[in-house]
Amino acid sequence: MTNYATYFQENREHHLNELNEWLSIPSISAISEHKPDMQRAAEWLAATLKKAGLEHVEIHPTAGHPIVTADYLHAPGKPTVLVYGHYDVQPVDPLHLWETPPFEPTIRGDKLFARGATDDKGQIFLHIKAVEAILKQEGTLPVNVKFCIEGEEEISSANLPGFLESNKEMLSADAVLISDTSLIEKGKPAICTGLRGLCSLEFTIHTANTDLHSGSFGGGVPNALHSIVELLNSLHDKQGRVLVDGFYEGVLPLSDEMRNEFIKQAFDEKKLQQSLALESLHGEEGYSFVERVGARPTLEINGLYGGFQGEGSKTVIPKEASAKITCRLVANQDPAYVLDQIIKHLEANVPTGATIDIKPGEKARAFNIDPSSELLQKAADAFKTVYGTRALFTKDGGSIPIVEAFSRLIAPTVVLMGFGLPDENLHAPNEHFNLENFDKGLLTIVEYLNQI
């Protein structure tokens, strides 16, 4: 077989220069003034896909930012893989914390610094160059490949689900291949088999029709802050378990096989505790840290505010207080049902003398896949060939709602082969991509496509 290591080494400088062109485009989907940059980034992507040898390259307008598709379908009887990624990036604030400008890609040591370097332009670029390399060296691909790359992942992919629904036949595949996750640590690859879903809400507790003097009214009228603290305290027991009726409906027990995968991660809880300057970790009793954040549901208070918050003292009894809540969900939990149960719990436990207004928020289902799938096992083998270490199967605590949509609408098998590292500052100043994983990622993708 072709020596791809030599090919990629000989073309490394050229490939990095190409990636730098894309990274230089400030494709920030959340900021309207960057709409022309979003179009420019989509056009750059389409041109690069064509140059790589992909066919039927098309830029699809949406109500928001464009979706780019392409394919190469010349392997009859072989599997079809749909590669998904996104070309939009996060805003760059606070700008003064960047050591070099976020849209002027810079290599320092063995790291490429730029907004989008690891999330997700750098990682999706690997797939384009891997396909291009195989086409240049072999003249064809060992499998059928499709690309679907959007520009709204950082703003919740509002237009992609409808696009998937309307284009099921064009996008149909045996597996969806995504690189938007990370290794466990340097040299220790991982394949994510679960992403948590979510639901959220915010609510306000009301008492009197005005703030009141605590000397004249204290002890005689309800205090909105006291009421909200009492209500929030009713949501968990002292062992970290959520007390909302029905909250755990649909949560599956962790299998021995999955718990063994967690154990293999050899996660150092003490080191984490020290790095965060915590007296101790906290969470649902009976589970390790990686199990709690990857495979168990949570209910978190994300914001709490009310009363006087300025400098000094102001002796008032506040008339209202507000809180924001987000839940991370797992397995077969229904986000709409969970949200409804939380609302019922809050309304049933409002303290005497208070009323409540509740505003439901977002809802997204969890993604879960059995790691015994042959396409996932071959992905772990491909990592082993290149990294010398077989990938572990993990469950990530975060949420990528569109992954569940792909598994439901396009292909039940979603292969999450990430090449980032957890400390690469995605969404933060000085985002970067370790070039070791740039090099090994190219080889791993080529190996995987050939193995399947």
Side-chain angles (χ1 to χ4, degrees), residues 37-106:
D37 297 314
M38 295 298 299
Q39 182 67 32
R40 193 154 58 96
E43 290 171 356
W44 186 96
L45 172 61
T48 302
L49 287 164
K50 285 180 183 176
K51 190 167 60 175
L54 276 299
E55 300 172 342
H56 307 114
V57 179
E58 189 171 350
I59 299 174
H60 304 266
T62 73
H65 302 303
I67 294 169
V68 181
T69 61
D71 62 40
Y72 192 88
L73 309 174
H74 298 284
K78 302 294 183 182
T80 298
V81 176
L82 174 68
V83 178
Y84 162 77
H86 63 93
Y87 64 87
D88 64 323
V89 301
Q90 281 279 321
V92 298
D93 311 81
L95 187 59
H96 70 278
L97 293 181
W98 286 81
E99 293 182 28
T100 50
F103 297 109
E104 295 180 16
T106 305

Side-chain angles (χ1 to χ4, degrees), residues 25 42 107 119 128 161 196 250 261 268 282 288 375 413 441 449 452:
I25 302 173
I107 293 177
D119 181 24
I128 301 170
R196 293 195 288 190
E261 289 293 314
D268 190 336
H282 173 74
S288 67
L375 288 169
T413 300
L449 294 180
I452 65 170

Side-chain angles (χ1 to χ4, degrees), residues 1-8 133-134 136-139 443 446 450:
M1 192 173 107
T2 302
N3 187 339
Y4 284 97
T6 300
Y7 171 87
F8 286 125
I134 299 173
K136 284 189 173 182
Q137 300 302 296
E138 315 296 342
L443 293 170
V446 169
N450 277 305

Side-chain angles (χ1 to χ4, degrees), residues 393-432:
F393 294 103
T394 64
K395 292 189 181 294
D396 287 4
S399 305
I400 310 177
I402 200 60
V403 173
E404 186 277 332
F406 269 109
S407 70
R408 177 167 39 85
L409 297 171
I410 303 301
T413 300
V414 179
V415 185
L416 290 157
M417 296 178 73
F419 297 99
L421 285 175
D423 61 356
E424 289 179 333
N425 287 20
L426 62 164
H427 292 208
N430 302 308
E431 179 181 347
H432 57 275

Side-chain angles (χ1 to χ4, degrees), residues 138-334:
E138 315 296 342
T140 190
L141 297 180
V143 294
N144 302 295
V145 172
K146 299 178 180 180
F147 281 80
C148 179
I149 305 173
E150 67 158 324
E152 297 181 330
E153 194 273 346
E154 301 293 5
I155 52 173
S156 301
S157 301
N159 291 291
L160 186 56
F163 182 81
L164 299 182
E165 188 79 57
S166 300
N167 294 278
K168 286 182 183 178
E169 185 175 345
M170 179 182 74
L171 300 173
S172 64
D174 296 291
V176 179
L177 179 56
I178 302 175
S179 294
D180 197 10
T181 51
S182 67
L183 284 72
I184 294 171
E185 59 186 43
K186 180 180 169 66
K188 199 171 181 179
I191 295 171
C192 176
T193 63
L195 291 162
R196 293 195 288 190
L198 59 87
C199 64
S200 66
L201 61 83
E202 52 187 284
F203 69 90
T204 300
I205 289 290
H206 303 278
T207 50
N209 59 5
T210 183
D211 287 353
L212 297 167
H213 190 291
S214 65
S216 302
F217 293 90
V221 296
N223 181 314
L225 279 172
H226 292 186
S227 296
I228 203 167
V229 169
E230 181 182 338
L231 182 55
L232 291 171
N233 196 46
S234 73
L235 293 169
H236 295 87
D237 66 18
K238 291 184 178 180
Q239 286 73 44
R241 189 169 175 83
V242 178
L243 294 175
V244 174
D245 285 344
F247 181 81
Y248 292 96
E249 188 170 315
V251 177
L252 302 176
L254 278 175
S255 66
D256 291 340
E257 291 80 9
M258 198 67 239
R259 295 201 104 155
N260 285 334
E261 289 293 314
F262 282 124
I263 291 168
K264 288 178 190 175
Q265 292 184 35
F267 186 83
D268 190 336
E269 294 192 4
K270 198 70 177 176
K271 182 179 178 181
L272 174 68
Q273 180 183 325
Q274 291 170 349
S275 72
L276 297 176
L278 289 169
E279 291 296 317
S280 66
L281 298 180
H282 173 74
E284 189 181 3
E285 198 171 55
Y287 297 92
S288 67
F289 175 82
V290 288
E291 290 171 342
R292 289 170 183 163
V293 303
R296 296 296 295 170
T298 66
L299 187 157
E300 297 287 353
I301 301 163
N302 307 123
L304 179 61
Y305 42 96
F308 178 65
Q309 298 178 40
E311 184 179 356
S313 174
K314 183 181 181 184
T315 53
V316 296
I317 298 172
K319 71 183 183 74
E320 63 183 31
S322 301
K324 294 177 183 286
I325 289 174
T326 298
C327 297
R328 298 288 180 167
L329 309 177
V330 300
N332 298 322
Q333 284 182 290
D334 179 347

